[in-house]
Amino acid sequence: DIQMTQSPSSLSASVGDRVTIACRASQTVSSYLHWYQQKPGKAPKLLIYAASSLQGGVPSRFSGSGSGTDFTLTISSLQPEDFATYYCQQTYSIPRTFGGGTKVEIK
Amino acid sequence: QVQLQESGPGLVKPSQTLSLTCTVSGGSISSGDYHWTWIRQPPGKGLEWIGNIYHSGSTYYRSSLKSRVTISLDTSKNQFSLKLSSVTAADTAVYFCVRGSLQWPVLGAFDIWGQGTLVTVSS
């Protein structure tokens, strides 16, 4: 199984801050890497697919980069509605695996 | 607009079988552009992929659950289902039904999720 490791597991930030979340795969996943946002009591929402493509309707302050084993999700200017938990996921191989999540909290 | 909705018992006794159904509206479950997936999330924990099914009926399961899980399609009702047998407290989780896109260049990302349903395993 491909292990997905996210860092940090949590962070505190202020509105307007630039936030970066890292995701590392235990072996290459090429560009088969996606990012999701989950708010409490809600289903995850797809933000970024194929490492760097913005899902329709997602604000442009979200961006993704990377390929192979190392990936990054960046929020350029954190907004109040962005406080949530973020997960990376690979669909390169079975089983599909998720990172452990990064909880973004208000400072 | 495609929507997914889970249904099924919220409480299951230990050793019994958990059965959930996902009803797909606004699109056909027979489309070859998508696959249909179950994911679960134990309370306070992360996301765990259970398995998926393609329009052809081909299935893939998490190896640790493979002996207990069955995912099936009912194209006449535009639904897909999950059965998990011999449940224990460790199977207590919110269960999500999810659509995965096979279209290029989405690369299998899970683009539409049901709202999730909490299933508690307890006597």
Side-chain angles (χ1 to χ4, degrees), chain B residues 84-96:
Chain B
L84 183 65
S85 64
S86 304
V87 298
T88 69
D91 296 309
T92 294
V94 174
Y95 286 76
F96 297 99

Side-chain angles (χ1 to χ4, degrees), chain B residues 8-29:
Chain B
L11 181 64
V12 180
K13 289 181 167 50
S15 80
Q16 294 191 342
T17 296
L18 178 160
S19 296
L20 295 175
T21 296
C22 182
T23 300
V24 180
S25 58
S28 173
I29 201 168

Side-chain angles (χ1 to χ4, degrees), chain A residues 34 36 38 43 50 89 91 96, chain B residues 41 49 105-107 110 113-114:
Chain A
H34 321 292
Y36 301 86
Q38 187 178 33
Q89 180 221 12
T91 56
R96 310 309 195 200
Chain B
Q41 185 172 37
W49 178 82
V106 186
L107 303 187
F110 297 165
W113 295 62

Side-chain angles (χ1 to χ4, degrees), chain B residues 5-107:
Chain B
Q5 178 68 58
E6 305 88 353
S7 59
L11 181 64
V12 180
K13 289 181 167 50
S15 80
Q16 294 191 342
T17 296
L18 178 160
S19 296
L20 295 175
T21 296
C22 182
T23 300
V24 180
S25 58
S28 173
I29 201 168
S30 299
S31 170
D33 289 335
Y34 306 103
H35 64 78
W36 308 94
T37 296
W38 288 96
I39 288 170
R40 69 181 182 180
Q41 185 172 37
K45 296 190 178 180
L47 301 163
E48 181 177 81
W49 178 82
I50 297 170
N52 64 7
I53 188 165
Y54 292 81
H55 72 286
S56 62
S58 298
T59 53
Y60 296 87
Y61 300 130
R62 184 177 199 84
S63 57
S64 61
L65 299 175
K66 195 169 185 177
S67 62
R68 300 195 289 131
V69 67
T70 302
I71 297 175
S72 58
L73 281 177
D74 186 337
T75 54
S76 66
K77 295 181 179 178
N78 221 36
Q79 295 175 334
F80 65 106
S81 298
L82 169 71
K83 291 189 185 301
L84 183 65
S85 64
S86 304
V87 298
T88 69
D91 296 309
T92 294
V94 174
Y95 286 76
F96 297 99
C97 61
V98 184
R99 187 182 83 169
S101 178
L102 299 174
Q103 297 174 312
W104 181 265
V106 186
L107 303 187

